[in-house]
Amino acid sequence: MTQEAMPATPSPEALAFRNGMSRLGAAVNIVTTDGPAGRHGLTVSAVCSVTDQPPTLLVCINRKAFSHDAFVQNGTICVNVLSPAHQDLSRAFARWTGEDRFATTDWHTRATGAPVLADAAVAFDCRIIDQQSRGTHSVFFCEVNTTEVAEGEANGLVWFDRAFHPLEPH
């Protein structure tokens, strides 16, 4: 399948789509990987459940992202769901500046070896079982090996209208 070149300037329809999508709130996550291609991570909001039999997530990553190929080569991914306390960490993983972003907080590993954020609201340790390409992104289907849910009250961090918004317990 060949890809058409993306226009240099987004069309009015693409701009309207982007503005519309900014109003679709989504959980903020740091996805991580480790393996032969090294340890990498980035901030993403395009994560959703596919099925619970077997537990499977869908994760979308821009193919131009610095760490994209590491996810492909390693075949592992951990989806670390963030809480309001993680805004600065989320910003750090959203950009690539060459610093060791993993050095700023505590991490451990589970079955796949992908980094698990020690105080994530929830962490899904997964193996990538399928990959599809669509436009600028790869869509990864990830089978969950383990789910690690934080103790205590659930707090979340949502990206909505191009800003962070905390979710507090009800």
Side-chain angles (χ1 to χ4, degrees):
M1 180 166 111
T2 59
Q3 294 272 336
E4 292 183 14
M6 297 299 293
T9 304
S11 68
E13 294 83 14
L15 290 173
F17 178 77
R18 287 181 187 176
N19 287 332
M21 289 305 296
S22 77
R23 305 250 174 121
L24 177 64
V28 181
N29 311 279
I30 293 175
V31 295
T32 58
T33 189
D34 202 352
R39 185 169 65 167
H40 291 271
L42 70 155
T43 301
V44 300
S45 59
V47 173
C48 72
S49 170
V50 175
T51 181
D52 66 352
Q53 294 294 323
T56 306
L57 298 176
L58 177 148
V59 179
C60 300
I61 299 177
N62 190 310
R63 288 194 312 275
K64 291 183 180 178
F66 175 80
S67 56
H68 173 274
D69 293 347
F71 285 94
V72 174
Q73 292 171 25
N74 291 341
T76 65
I77 192 166
C78 184
V79 176
N80 296 281
V81 181
L82 304 184
S83 70
H86 295 120
Q87 286 186 38
D88 289 340
L89 187 63
S90 172
R91 285 185 186 97
F93 274 84
R95 63 184 183 278
W96 172 250
T97 60
E99 83 275 9
D100 182 4
R101 296 164 298 166
F102 289 95
T104 63
T105 191
D106 294 328
W107 301 86
H108 60 273
T109 59
R110 299 292 297 237
T112 70
V116 176
L117 180 61
D119 62 345
V122 62
F124 301 98
D125 188 41
C126 310
R127 296 222 179 267
I128 297 170
I129 58 170
D130 192 16
Q131 174 189 344
Q132 303 287 320
S133 293
R134 181 69 181 167
T136 58
H137 283 63
S138 289
V139 180
F140 296 101
F141 290 87
C142 309
E143 191 168 290
V144 179
N145 289 327
T146 60
T147 302
E148 190 173 300
V149 180
E151 294 182 20
E153 289 186 322
N155 293 302
L157 184 61
V158 173
W159 185 252
F160 176 78
D161 201 20
R162 297 179 175 96
F164 290 111
H165 298 274
L167 295 178
E168 303 298 332
H170 58 277

